[in-house]
Amino acid sequence: MSSQASEFVIVGGGIYGSSLAYQLAKAGKSVLLLEGGEIASGASGGPGERGVRANRRDPRELPVAAVALALWQKYQQEFEHGVGYRRIGGLQVFDVPYGYREHEVRGQMEAMALTQTRLGAPSEILNLEQTLEREPELTRSLIGAIYCPNDGVCDHTFATQQFAAEAIKAGAVIRTGAKVSEILAEGGRATGVKLESGETIAVGSQLILTANAGTQALLNPYLHEKEKAPLWHLMPQMIYVTNPLNKKINHLLSHAHRKLAVKQIVDGTLMLSGGASVSYTAEGLWKGSLSSTANNLADAIAAFPFIDNSSFVKADASRVETVSIDGIPVVDKPLALENTLYGYGWTGHGFAISLGITQFMSEWLIKGERPAALAAFTSARFYQPMTLINDALEGL
């Protein structure tokens, strides 16, 4: 193995691995980050911007999202050149689809805004007139929106690279082109990792896996069957179109009843995401899809009619995501490896909450106790309820 073991060895150089490396290094810890490709070469990279939102987020994620949104603002101000974050506010718009009842939709809006506000994401219900004041180009078929002033967008590639650079300044060591193929363990502890090159690297204290699509494969030899989270892979499609009418989209925008996210990136190009994904092969390749493109464009034009005047620029679906069955990530320790912490299953929207998750992960690693904020993300949520069911059945 490597002659000198780093205290913390992180596998995966996306936003999770890079921001965690920074936080641990700033705390004075010895950190080695291993990335199989280049920094931000996976799901944390690619063109355009990612939404940084609390709007329409699972209630279990909202406390972490509140911390994350505060940290995005903090690092944008503190880092030289920032992290590419822009707090522009978020709008989730609502209509009344065929077969729905308006009082049900309005009730959903009220419940969602109340829950988000109570859990750290101030939210305001807007009527149609107020919504159009903020976004004049929206369709008039809406009934209103939920507005989250703290939401924003971020250049995800730039942010990930910035955290990696700041981690190095703080003393972390980052190795790219160092793909981990195996976890080495002895006596219930991870002792090191083996690279595809054959090199082995020792783990001093803790091993942390944040390699997104690659994490479960590395963990599988050590996970009990019940610990294996129900996950799958998908390839989200991002579509970029021109803006020939020079219209302005002011907010990060999503739709309650359409799989749609719209944002206007810095150069004026319109980025359409959140819709249908494309095919993913076992070899890790992706195939373009005309039906996905058609569906995504139709939803975007239904929300912003002026987009029908746009021209197609490109589509990008080259970044694989892991998706959990209940839509929130898994952050936990395997029962068989007491010194290993992992996080994955970001479900395509994990970039926004990354800084909150890694803030709490760093506390867990340093203090040795799981923060209460991460209790909802344990893999036990997929198997512990069976204990209650079995107990109840025995009493029948």
Side-chain angles (χ1 to χ4, degrees), residues 23-342:
Q23 290 167 4
L24 290 172
K26 284 290 286 185
K29 305 301 180 181
S30 166
V31 180
L32 171 63
L33 187 153
L34 303 171
E35 163 55 39
E38 298 297 327
I39 296 298
S41 60
S44 296
E49 295 177 317
R50 291 285 180 92
V52 178
R53 64 170 177 84
N55 218 344
R56 203 183 182 184
R57 189 166 287 281
D58 189 294
R60 293 168 291 180
E61 294 180 326
L62 284 170
V64 174
V67 174
L69 265 61
L71 289 172
W72 282 113
Q73 187 82 335
K74 167 184 168 70
Y75 291 126
Q76 176 63 25
Q77 296 169 349
E78 289 185 357
F79 284 5
E80 184 178 5
H81 307 303
V83 290
Y85 170 68
R86 297 186 291 135
R87 179 165 287 181
I88 59 176
L91 277 180
Q92 181 185 187
V93 298
F94 289 76
D95 58 15
V96 183
Y98 178 77
Y100 283 61
R101 301 293 177 261
E102 184 170 335
H103 73 88
E104 295 174 349
V105 176
R106 293 193 181 278
Q108 179 189 15
M109 292 173 68
E110 292 171 3
M112 189 174 296
L114 177 62
T115 300
Q116 290 177 177
T117 299
R118 283 179 174 176
L119 295 178
S123 302
E124 177 185 355
I125 295 177
L126 307 180
N127 61 27
L128 176 58
E129 181 179 16
Q130 293 168 322
T131 301
L132 295 177
E133 285 177 359
R134 291 189 169 277
E135 290 290 355
E137 303 303 330
L138 277 167
T139 177
R140 270 56 181 168
S141 64
L142 303 171
I143 63 169
I146 295 178
Y147 172 56
C148 284
N150 291 341
D151 286 0
V153 295
C154 186
D155 182 331
H156 46 295
T157 302
F158 179 73
T160 303
Q161 293 170 343
Q162 282 288 86
F163 275 105
E166 293 294 327
I168 292 171
K169 290 180 185 177
V173 175
I174 295 180
R175 289 182 55 182
T176 56
K179 186 173 179 59
V180 174
S181 60
E182 183 182 353
I183 298 171
L184 306 176
E186 184 177 341
R189 294 179 61 84
T191 57
V193 293
K194 185 176 181 180
L195 305 186
E196 281 191 345
S197 64
E199 180 185 357
T200 57
I201 295 173
V203 172
S205 175
Q206 298 281 337
L207 173 65
I208 307 101
L209 306 175
T210 61
N212 192 24
T215 292
Q216 183 147 289
L218 290 171
L219 283 171
N220 272 339
Y222 301 98
L223 290 177
H224 292 282
E225 194 61 33
K226 66 181 181 180
E227 289 182 280
K228 295 179 180 179
L231 301 170
W232 68 92
H233 293 161
L234 62 74
M235 309 295 282
Q237 179 170 254
M238 316 296 175
I239 298 174
Y240 304 83
V241 299
T242 63
N243 184 15
L245 301 182
N246 293 317
K247 300 293 186 179
K248 176 70 173 172
I249 296 178
N250 301 307
H251 303 81
L252 170 65
L253 186 133
S254 62
H255 196 295
H257 302 118
R258 297 180 185 272
K259 294 180 67 176
L260 175 69
V262 180
K263 51 187 84 73
Q264 188 166 16
I265 57 181
V266 175
D267 66 3
T269 300
L270 305 179
M271 181 177 174
L272 318 176
S273 59
S277 56
V278 302
S279 298
Y280 171 73
T281 70
E283 297 77 25
L285 304 175
W286 64 281
K287 300 177 182 179
S289 166
L290 289 178
S291 62
S292 295
T293 303
N295 288 340
N296 295 354
L297 286 174
D299 278 346
I301 293 167
F304 285 104
F306 80 88
I307 293 178
D308 199 23
N309 296 281
S310 299
S311 298
F312 181 79
V313 176
K314 65 178 177 179
D316 186 283
S318 59
R319 311 290 169 141
V320 63
E321 285 282 3
T322 51
V323 182
S324 69
I325 190 65
D326 62 356
I328 70 169
V330 182
V331 183
D332 211 344
K333 284 177 170 281
L335 297 174
L337 298 173
E338 64 179 0
N339 68 329
T340 299
L341 178 61
Y342 63 88

Side-chain angles (χ1 to χ4, degrees), residues 368-386:
E369 295 183 3
R370 185 201 310 265
L374 296 184
F377 306 111
T378 172
S379 64
R381 70 185 190 264
F382 299 118
Y383 62 83
Q384 275 187 345
M386 281 304 300

